[in-house]
């Protein structure tokens, strides 16, 4: 039998799941068993104004105080659904939960009346023990329903375990006191929260009857000005009218004989590169290509990649990278939506590309790049096309489109113009003094916008691009050997790509001859140990963490990583770059207070035009800029959660939506789920990410229709025909039904971990030879399994690229052999891999002992 | 909550949405549609057919062969 009181509280709290918690602005050491407190006294006139506004609205001043606490918590905790404790002396002696769901557009008076009514009802239903109230709510078992409290009445001693605002309205002037245990808030946080409570009450007291909640905020004008203007004082004059390729052409005129791009013996000087790109531009112009057109690049990684990029821009057109490894239908979809007239490719890929483009009527020509004679003369992209003059690009023209995962199941094409990219290139080259001595090891795919800086930025500085081949990129040993043996000064990647090399650092002496001086890490969480590992392996290297979005021209914030503070939970985002504006905003689109989580918006001279062909998504994500005062400007809503530190540094807190990053790749879980759902026999599907940060893995959960028993392998193969490889789940787990919360929502926390119910393992075959036993033991340790049999597959057991490198490093350390990464990819079972290791051991025994240098050269 | 947003447009004929109780920032004007977020976005999907800013559309057209 449920009492009336129980039913009342259940109705009020049932769907409240996330307890409202304030987070200290600074993490790290938390002194135990102390309470920070601060007080403010109001003068009688201020107090009278508060009472007057309460009278006008028809509530009591105490009700206004309770409501203000809810509003303040919503802002400081960065949430729109708050539960806190409240006690108005004289009404009750009991602290009662109050639920506040402030809507910024709501009239303040209506919200205050609602709060007063709710509080009165709560008092009428008082009497339930705290544990029973928590149970009536949706918070997980054992968690406290609230740990913040507002108390109106004569001041009482500060509680030891709650954040508490006390307001004594008894005297002529109100007394405000805020206290918090030191493990919940710092002393500075307590002072700020008290000042904000006071300012918010003053704002309410001064507000007109027509005021809405968004008009009454806790922050002073100075605080808002500081966040909006001072922390965004990034204005830097730029020479107008320049296109991305203009930067290269100027450099080509200055240093025509310097090396611009190389891969092994294949190399082009600035003059040669300029000439080749010019021929390609004329050939494209002869094919009718010009401003407004998209040229698709379907290329392997060679020096011709750079010719293609420059040639398209010189033709006045924009480029659209196509990953040749993508499913054919996805490539066709991209060509169709962009109405691509010309595709550039390698001579060897011509038959493949023709097969793709046959079904795409807009494609008029497929041109190939490379040395003459490798393909048919009529489709050679570098043939001299005669006197045709390409139409020139302007800075407001589109330069490229990069497709990223889209939540609705179709990828979205982010369209960038020249100007924001030129601004970014200028910023990097000025800030980091990039120059002719710099050489980048170019390892990033063209579909990942870091590549834009690697190519055009480095060329604008007069440096050179060492294009890593597709084979080199897959092999961490070779990449490390290139860093050690070639004059590479600059590394630019997602953290995971560099982390792959990390286990190998320890196997070599710290490299003092390396010229690596600058390491850019972006696109994902930077593991806190990575900066020191990099600096240990390459003395003299500076590590910079960068962030932003493809929608905001590659990077728009940066943080030079000096000493890693042990109190950090992640490397901070840092500050906006030149001419970029960053705002952390609350639900009412006002700057969030220091320390409070909010939504990150980017403005300034760095934004994309929008999403190709998707007006609705563009309008939803690019919103009117109400802060900078620039007429007609827009802000990009990143979907990132972030907060300000007291010095204006921005800390990234995660995503507010279903976008995840797996090894630097941006993935919308909705797109993966949509692909899973297309498989016949699947009733419903969910995708999620397991594992933290660098070890993150995409996991799919499928609920089949009755009588259907999907093989995980078939599911993965099916998804692989629809999505790029990085979006194919590492594990597919079949469930009878999806776990749901009491409210019927998907309970992501209850989804089983992969491994608990991973792909079916083959029958156990015990290892017998010494090599087999060693490999089985090493795998079991790496993959955290009890035992590994000879027929077990490395990848089915949860192995991934980071673990391959660790495996190789261990074999080097324990057996003193060098096993190439390919060996793991080609021999995926423990038995087959053990045979390779055994052969390597035998070769080692029979071969002359190599010197350490020879070992490096050989890999 | 059915009139929570307005469709707005700037001089470059780029569209977006504004919470209905907020004033338009400089350079943004009402398009005329008021409604839920979804209704406003759907309206934008109908009327905003070329996502390029007006000045870019005109400059490309002027350079067309």
């Amino acid at each position: 039998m449920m009492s009336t009181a129980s039913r009342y509280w259940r109705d009020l709290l049932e769907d409240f799941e996330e307890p409202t918690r304030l987070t200290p602005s600074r993490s790290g050491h938390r002194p135990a068993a102390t309470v920070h407190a601060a007080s403010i006294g109001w003068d009688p006139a201020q107090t009278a104004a508060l009472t007057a506004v309460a009278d006008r609205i028809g509530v009591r001043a105490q009700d206004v105080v309770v409501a203000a606490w809810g509003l303040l918590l919503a802002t400081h905790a960065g949430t729109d659904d708050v539960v806190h404790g409240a006690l108005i002396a004289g009404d009750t002696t009991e602290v009662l939960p109050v639920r506040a769901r402030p809507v910024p557009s709501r009239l303040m008076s209506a919200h205050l009346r609602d709060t007063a009514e709710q509080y009165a009802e709560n008092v009428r239903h008082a009497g339930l023990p705290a544990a029973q109230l928590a149970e009536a709510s949706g918070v997980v078992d054992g968690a406290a329903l609230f740990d913040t409290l507002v108390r109106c009445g004569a001041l009482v001693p500060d509680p030891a375990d709650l954040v508490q605002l006390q307001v004594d309205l008894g005297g002529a002037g109100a007394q405000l006191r805020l206290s918090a245990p030191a493990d919940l808030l710092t002393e500075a946080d307590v002072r700020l929260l008290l000042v904000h409570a006071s300012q918010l009450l003053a704002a309410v007291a001064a507000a007109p009857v027509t005021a809405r909640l968004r008009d009454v905020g806790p922050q002073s004008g100075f605080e808002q000005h500081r966040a909006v203007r001072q922390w965004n004082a990034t204005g830097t004059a730029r020479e107008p009218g320049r296109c991305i390729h203009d930067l290269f052409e100027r450099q080509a005129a200055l240093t025509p004989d310097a090396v611009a791009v190389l891969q092994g013996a294949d190399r082009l000087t600035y003059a040669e590169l300029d000439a080749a790109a010019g021929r390609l531009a004329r050939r494209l112009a002869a094919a009718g290509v010009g401003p407004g057109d998209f040229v698709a690049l379907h290329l392997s990684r060679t020096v011709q990649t750079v010719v293609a990029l420059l040639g398209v821009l010189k033709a006045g057109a924009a480029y659209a990278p196509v990953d040749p490894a993508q499913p054919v239908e996805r490539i066709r979809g991209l060509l169709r939506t962009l109405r691509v007239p010309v595709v550039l490719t390698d001579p060897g890929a011509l038959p493949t590309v023709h097969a793709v483009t046959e079904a795409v009527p807009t494609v008029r020509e497929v041109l190939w790049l490379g040395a003459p004679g490798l393909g048919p003369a009529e489709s050679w992209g570098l043939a001299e096309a005669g006197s045709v003059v390409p139409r020139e690009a302007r800075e407001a023209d589109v330069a490229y489109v990069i497709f990223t995962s889209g939540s609705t199941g179709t990828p979205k094409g982010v369209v960038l113009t020249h100007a924001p990219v030129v601004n970014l290139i200028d910023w990097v080259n000025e800030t980091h003094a990039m120059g002719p001595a710099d050489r980048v090891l170019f390892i990033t795919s063209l579909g990942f916008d870091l590549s834009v800086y690697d190519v055009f930025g480095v060329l604008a500085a007069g440096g050179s691009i060492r294009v890593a081949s597709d084979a080199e990129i897959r092999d961490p040993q070779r990449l490390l050997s290139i860093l050690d043996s070639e004059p590479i000064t600059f590394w630019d990647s997602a953290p995971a790509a560099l982390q792959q090399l990390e286990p190998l650092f320890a196997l070599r002496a710290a490299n003092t001859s390396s010229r690596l001086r600058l390491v850019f890490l972006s696109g994902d969480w930077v593991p806190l140990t990575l900066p020191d590992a990099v600096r240990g392996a390459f003395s003299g290297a500076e590590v910079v963490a960068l962030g932003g979005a493809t929608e905001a021209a590659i990077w728009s914030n940066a943080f030079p990583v000096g000493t890693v503070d042990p109190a950090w939970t992640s490397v901070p985002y840092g500050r906006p770059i030149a001419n970029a504006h960053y705002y952390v905003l609350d639900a009412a689109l006002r700057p969030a207070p220091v320390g409070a989580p909010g939504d990150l918006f980017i403005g300034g001279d760095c934004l994309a035009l929008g999403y190709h062909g998707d007006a609705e998504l563009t309008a939803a994500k690019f919103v009117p800029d109400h802060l900078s005062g620039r007429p007609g400007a827009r802000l990009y809503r990143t979907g990132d959660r972030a907060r300000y530190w007291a010095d204006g540094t921005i800390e990234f807190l995660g995503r507010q939506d279903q976008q995840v990053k797996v090894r630097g790749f941006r993935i919308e879980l909705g797109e993966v789920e949509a692909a899973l759902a297309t498989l016949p026999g699947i009733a419903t599907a969910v995708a999620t990410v397991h594992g933290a940060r660098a070890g993150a893995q995409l996991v799919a959960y499928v609920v089949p229709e009755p009588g259907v028993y999907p093989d995980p392998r078939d599911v993965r193969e099916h998804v692989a025909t629809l999505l790029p490889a990085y979006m194919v789940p590492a594990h597919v787990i079949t469930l009878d039904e999806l776990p749901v919360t009491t409210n019927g929502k998907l309970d992501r926390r209850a989804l089983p971990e992969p491994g608990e119910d991973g792909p079916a393992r083959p029958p156990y075959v015990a290892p017998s030879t010494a090599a087999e036993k060693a490999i089985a033991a090493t795998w079991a340790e790496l993959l955290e399994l009890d035992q590994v049999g000879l027929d077990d597959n490395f990848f089915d057991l949860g192995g991934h690229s980071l673990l391959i490198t660790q495996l190789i490093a261990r074999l080097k350390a324990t057996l003193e052999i060098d096993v190439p990464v390919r060996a793991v990819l080609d021999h995926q079972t423990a038995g087959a891999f053990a045979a390779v290791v055994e052969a390597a051991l035998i070769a080692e025994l029979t071969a002359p002992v190599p010197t350490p240098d020879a070992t490096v050269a050989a890999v | 909550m059915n009139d929570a947003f307005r469709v707005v447009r700037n001089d470059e004929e780029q569209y977006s949405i504004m919470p209905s109780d907020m004033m338009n920032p400089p350079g943004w004007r009402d398009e005329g549609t008021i409604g839920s977020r979804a209704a406003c976005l759907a309206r934008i999907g109908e009327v905003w057919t070329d996502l390029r800013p007006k000045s870019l559309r005109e400059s490309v057209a002027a350079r067309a062969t």
Side-chain angles (χ1 to χ4, degrees):
Chain A
M1 254 318 268
M2 196 185 274
S3 70
T4 316
S6 309
R7 198 172 300 117
Y8 172 79
W9 290 107
R10 191 165 290 281
D11 285 349
L12 182 69
L13 300 171
E14 188 172 38
D15 57 349
F16 181 79
E17 291 172 2
E18 202 68 50
T20 310
R21 301 278 187 256
L22 298 169
T23 42
S25 59
R26 212 157 23 82
S27 45
H29 178 67
R30 292 169 179 189
T34 50
V35 170
H36 300 305
S39 303
I40 289 180
W42 270 24
D43 63 40
Q46 255 181 317
T47 313
L50 185 69
T51 310
V53 82
D55 284 349
R56 213 158 55 231
I57 291 167
V59 299
R60 300 172 300 170
Q62 287 92 330
D63 296 316
V64 177
V65 169
V66 170
W69 184 239
L71 294 175
L72 188 63
L73 289 174
T75 306
H76 273 263
T79 172
D80 56 4
D81 191 357
V82 169
V83 169
H84 61 83
L87 186 152
I88 298 177
D91 289 0
T92 165
T93 53
E94 213 179 302
V95 173
L96 296 169
V98 171
R99 187 168 187 183
R101 278 173 281 193
V103 175
S105 60
R106 194 112 207 277
L107 284 173
M108 179 191 87
S109 53
H111 182 79
L112 295 181
R113 266 185 229 114
D114 285 356
T115 308
E117 273 168 31
Q118 188 201 122
Y119 181 75
E121 278 299 301
N122 294 357
V123 170
R124 275 178 15 93
H125 293 94
L128 255 58
Q132 220 168 315
L133 290 170
E135 206 174 291
S137 76
V139 303
V140 292
D141 292 347
L145 180 56
F146 54 84
D147 66 0
T148 66
L149 164 65
V150 60
R151 181 187 281 271
C152 288
L155 299 188
V156 298
D158 302 320
D161 55 351
L162 294 169
V163 180
Q164 176 177 268
L165 173 69
Q166 297 193 63
V167 179
D168 180 0
L169 295 163
Q175 291 294 316
L176 281 68
R177 181 176 177 83
L178 200 113
S179 67
D183 61 343
L184 290 185
L185 294 179
T186 68
E187 204 174 350
D189 296 335
V190 166
R191 280 197 302 268
L192 183 68
L193 204 56
L194 176 65
V195 168
H196 281 176
S198 176
Q199 286 173 176
L200 178 59
L201 282 168
V204 171
V209 232
T210 54
R212 292 174 190 273
L213 287 182
R214 81 165 81 247
D215 303 326
V216 288
Q219 293 206 84
S220 67
F222 164 72
E223 287 173 289
Q224 301 194 49
H225 176 83
R226 186 179 58 179
V228 172
R229 295 271 180 272
Q230 281 173 237
W231 289 340
N232 282 315
T234 57
T236 307
R238 296 276 185 239
E239 178 193 339
R242 291 170 301 156
C243 289
I244 298 168
H245 53 286
D246 293 337
L247 308 178
F248 161 74
E249 287 170 2
R250 288 182 192 188
Q251 195 58 43
L254 289 174
T255 57
D257 300 324
V259 172
V261 53
L262 71 159
Q263 183 180 67
D266 235 356
R267 51 185 65 198
L268 295 173
T269 64
Y270 271 78
E272 288 163 345
L273 176 58
D274 197 25
R279 283 201 305 280
L280 174 59
R282 288 189 291 277
R283 181 68 183 79
L284 287 168
V289 169
D293 291 324
F294 290 101
V295 174
L297 310 184
H298 183 288
L299 296 164
S300 58
R301 307 184 60 88
T302 69
V303 298
Q304 297 300 330
T305 307
V306 178
V307 174
L309 291 166
L310 281 166
V312 172
L313 296 189
K314 276 171 175 276
Y319 71 87
V322 171
D323 180 355
Q326 280 192 61
V328 168
E329 266 319 306
R330 201 174 166 97
I331 297 177
R332 284 199 185 117
L334 183 151
L335 299 177
R336 282 193 196 108
T337 182
L338 296 175
R339 311 186 65 79
V340 165
V342 174
V343 181
L344 301 180
T345 192
D346 308 302
L350 278 171
T352 315
V353 174
H354 278 299
V356 171
T357 58
E358 253 169 26
V360 185
T362 60
V363 177
R364 296 194 294 266
E365 285 200 79
V366 177
L367 301 178
W368 60 273
L369 304 177
L374 293 174
E378 68 278 8
S379 60
W380 188 35
L382 301 177
E384 192 49 75
S387 59
V388 57
V389 180
R391 285 170 281 159
E392 268 188 26
R394 300 195 182 146
E395 65 172 345
D397 277 335
V398 177
Y400 61 85
V401 58
I402 283 182
F403 281 80
T404 69
S405 179
S407 58
T408 56
T410 35
K412 52 193 186 201
V414 186
V415 179
L416 265 297
T417 60
H418 287 261
V421 179
V422 168
N423 178 61
L424 176 274
I425 289 174
D426 281 352
W427 175 80
V428 176
N429 290 352
E430 285 162 11
T431 308
H432 295 285
M434 299 300 282
D438 281 302
R439 178 170 294 179
V440 62
L441 178 55
F442 175 34
I443 62 162
T444 302
S445 143
L446 293 184
F448 203 7
D449 68 351
L450 312 191
S451 61
V452 178
Y453 177 79
D454 286 351
V455 172
F456 299 111
V458 169
L459 290 178
S464 50
I465 304 161
R466 161 66 163 91
V467 183
S469 68
D470 292 303
E472 284 165 342
I473 284 171
R474 280 192 290 268
D475 190 339
Q477 289 157 311
R478 286 175 74 178
L479 291 177
L480 185 56
S481 145
I482 294 170
L483 290 180
D484 281 339
S485 59
E486 297 186 25
I488 306 294
T489 65
F490 176 51
W491 171 278
D492 177 21
S493 78
L498 187 55
Q499 226 185 339
Q500 277 196 311
L501 312 194
E502 195 185 339
L504 305 172
F505 289 164
L507 304 176
R508 65 200 244 297
N511 192 324
T512 47
S513 64
S514 163
R515 294 185 44 198
L516 191 67
R517 72 171 185 93
L518 185 61
V519 172
F520 275 16
L521 297 172
S522 62
D524 209 340
W525 301 94
V526 176
L528 286 168
T529 54
L530 190 57
D532 284 338
V534 169
R535 288 187 287 244
F538 301 97
S539 45
E542 182 189 354
V543 178
V544 184
L546 302 102
T550 307
E551 288 88 338
I554 314 168
W555 307 300
S556 34
N557 63 273
F559 185 82
V561 189
T563 313
V564 174
D565 186 332
W568 287 352
T569 51
S570 66
V571 174
Y573 245 22
R575 303 291 287 266
I577 69 159
N579 300 316
H581 303 152
Y582 269 49
Y583 307 98
V584 179
L585 303 182
D586 68 11
L589 301 176
R590 303 172 299 205
V594 164
D599 295 330
L600 183 66
F601 288 72
I602 305 178
D605 298 336
C606 54
L607 299 193
L609 286 187
Y611 302 105
H612 187 269
D614 196 337
E616 291 190 37
L617 188 62
T618 303
K621 297 286 283 180
F622 293 83
V623 297
D625 176 355
H626 60 296
L627 293 169
S628 74
R630 293 181 178 201
R634 300 187 297 174
L635 293 175
Y636 170 61
R637 180 194 289 270
T638 61
D640 292 341
R641 295 286 282 172
R643 63 177 184 161
Y644 290 115
W645 290 0
D647 65 354
T649 299
I650 290 169
E651 179 183 356
F652 174 63
L653 298 174
R655 295 288 303 174
Q656 69 181 147
D657 54 18
Q658 289 217 330
Q659 192 190 101
V660 297
K661 294 273 179 89
V662 175
R663 276 180 278 293
F665 288 106
R666 182 169 144 177
I667 299 173
E668 292 283 359
L669 293 175
E671 187 169 12
V672 180
E673 289 165 0
L676 289 163
T678 61
L679 189 69
I682 299 295
T684 180
V686 167
T688 188
V689 166
H690 278 282
R693 303 180 182 186
Q697 283 192 304
L698 193 59
V699 181
Y701 299 87
V702 295
V703 178
E705 286 163 4
V708 179
Y709 303 95
D711 180 339
R713 257 169 240 257
D714 294 343
V715 176
R716 296 181 71 245
E717 274 171 26
H718 172 76
V719 173
T721 63
L722 300 169
L723 300 177
Y726 65 84
M727 288 175 68
V728 177
H731 299 274
V732 175
I733 296 172
T734 305
L735 300 175
D736 293 335
E737 57 187 7
L738 296 176
V740 289
T741 64
T742 46
N743 307 313
K745 284 196 254 174
L746 173 68
D747 186 357
R748 287 185 179 269
R749 280 175 297 197
L751 290 167
E753 291 276 335
E756 290 174 27
D757 188 19
R761 286 173 69 174
Y764 178 70
V765 180
S768 56
T769 70
E772 285 170 359
K773 282 177 186 162
I775 292 307
T778 311
W779 281 25
E781 200 185 323
L782 271 180
L783 299 164
E784 293 174 7
L785 296 167
D786 293 335
Q787 65 173 23
V788 168
L790 291 185
D791 291 339
D792 274 324
N793 181 298
F794 184 75
F795 297 95
D796 287 348
L797 295 179
H800 51 77
S801 55
L802 271 178
L803 286 175
I804 296 180
T805 325
Q806 286 185 26
L807 172 63
I808 285 165
R810 283 203 196 188
L811 295 178
K812 172 84 179 164
T814 55
L815 304 175
E816 294 184 358
I817 51 163
D818 288 309
V819 181
V821 168
R822 275 240 68 85
V824 189
L825 300 173
D826 293 345
H827 309 275
Q828 298 189 359
T829 64
F833 184 66
V836 174
V837 169
E838 190 156 3
L841 282 168
I842 291 165
E844 187 88 351
L845 288 173
T846 52
V849 178
T851 64
D853 284 342
T855 311
V856 169
V859 292
Chain B
M1 291 302 289
N2 280 332
D3 55 353
F5 287 89
R6 294 191 312 272
V7 173
V8 292
R9 187 173 61 180
N10 65 13
D11 291 344
E12 286 283 12
E13 296 179 0
Q14 293 170 308
Y15 287 77
S16 193
I17 54 173
M18 276 301 285
S20 56
D21 64 310
M22 277 176 79
M23 287 201 316
N24 285 335
W28 290 89
R29 270 177 281 278
D30 288 347
E31 177 266 353
T33 306
I34 301 172
S36 67
R37 189 170 181 276
C40 287
L41 291 175
R43 169 70 181 162
I44 290 172
E46 284 166 24
V47 293
W48 196 13
T49 50
D50 189 337
L51 268 56
R52 294 175 300 173
K54 184 166 177 260
S55 58
L56 175 57
R57 290 199 306 265
E58 290 172 356
S59 116
V60 169
R63 281 173 289 161
T65 44

